[in-house]
Amino acid sequence: MSSAGIEIQLNGKPHQTSASTIAELAKELSQAPQTLLIEHNQIALHRSEWAGASLSDNDRVEILQVSAGG
């Protein structure tokens, strides 16, 4: 992998990342893991699966940030 990293589709838009897993991507985006729902190539992932979910060029990642409200 080059220093530029890989290009994925993040929420429908091209995104360059040096992350190699979903967990690294969440950290790179400075998102609080407990507030995220992540879908990787159309598969919803539990937070416990993020570290084992490898990223490759052209992967599709959807990240939703949830918040409590009332």
Side-chain angles (χ1 to χ4, degrees), residues 7-33:
E7 185 166 316
I8 61 172
Q9 290 291 316
L10 179 61
N11 294 337
K13 297 179 182 172
H15 179 81
Q16 286 281 334
T17 181
S18 60
S20 61
T21 66
I22 293 292
E24 290 175 8
L25 179 64
K27 184 176 180 180
E28 178 182 287
L29 297 172
S30 300
Q31 300 289 328

Side-chain angles (χ1 to χ4, degrees), residues 22-62:
I22 293 292
E24 290 175 8
L25 179 64
K27 184 176 180 180
E28 178 182 287
L29 297 172
S30 300
Q31 300 289 328
Q34 63 274 18
T35 66
L36 300 180
L37 298 174
I38 298 181
E39 185 179 277
H40 180 224
N41 294 328
Q42 301 182 327
I43 298 172
L45 299 177
H46 292 279
R47 201 175 326 148
S48 62
E49 298 174 300
W50 294 0
S54 297
L55 288 171
S56 299
D57 277 321
N58 301 313
D59 276 3
R60 299 176 66 87
V61 178
E62 298 292 327

